[in-house]
Amino acid sequence: MKQMFIIFIFIFSSCKEETCESARNRENKYHFNIISTKNFRDDMIIDTYTKLEGINPETDNKDFFSDGSKWITPYRDSIEKADTLYKKKGDDFFLIKKKNNLIKIYILKCNQNGEVDKTSPKIEVIDR
């Protein structure tokens, strides 16, 4: 019984809630450059996580990026076939390059209390 109690404490003490800063640091490590081969708004089944699939313009090979933290999911309806989705490691934003404009979406911003800034993420549309 004592051993089970110790195992129970160990398991639950190792489950820590992610902080804003750790989420931001994780997102800053992501990198992708994919030309979308589908319209995401046409998906009949909406998964919790978004998986970007398409062609890498640098290699002309099929490529994918899985959104394990759901940070692209809110913008999935804006992604159409032939849009280029780009995120460079270390950048605090990702881009959706469309035919006539560029959508720049900034990732999480943390406030002084270590919580997500309520104005985050900021979205900027740039005409080309």
Side-chain angles (χ1 to χ4, degrees), residues 15-126:
C15 298
K16 296 180 181 176
E17 188 174 319
E18 186 172 48
T19 65
C20 178
E21 199 60 39
S22 65
R24 181 175 161 69
N25 290 338
R26 180 179 26 79
E27 292 173 6
N28 276 339
K29 292 178 185 175
Y30 293 148
H31 170 75
F32 52 84
N33 187 10
I34 298 172
I35 298 172
S36 179
T37 54
K38 68 177 189 174
N39 292 327
F40 281 88
R41 77 177 91 204
D42 295 342
D43 282 352
M44 297 304 277
I45 300 171
I46 298 176
D47 196 2
T48 307
Y49 302 100
T50 299
K51 183 176 180 181
L52 304 176
E53 297 178 12
I55 304 295
N56 182 320
E58 296 169 354
T59 64
D60 285 332
N61 293 327
K62 285 187 175 184
D63 202 356
F64 75 94
F65 174 79
S66 183
D67 177 12
S69 60
K70 304 181 197 176
W71 61 279
I72 292 178
T73 302
Y75 312 104
R76 63 180 283 125
D77 285 349
S78 299
I79 301 170
E80 299 173 310
K81 188 173 182 177
D83 288 350
T84 301
L85 306 139
Y86 181 79
K87 163 85 173 67
K88 182 179 171 186
K89 184 177 179 177
D91 283 350
D92 65 348
F93 62 89
F94 74 95
L95 301 172
I96 302 174
K97 298 177 183 179
K98 297 186 153 300
K99 185 177 180 180
N100 297 322
N101 57 33
L102 183 69
I103 301 172
K104 188 175 188 179
I105 302 167
Y106 293 87
I107 61 175
L108 289 175
K109 301 283 185 207
C110 304
N111 64 23
Q112 295 171 341
N113 298 329
E115 299 166 341
V116 175
D117 184 340
K118 299 299 181 193
T119 62
S120 176
K122 179 182 170 192
I123 300 171
E124 184 178 348
V125 178
I126 303 164

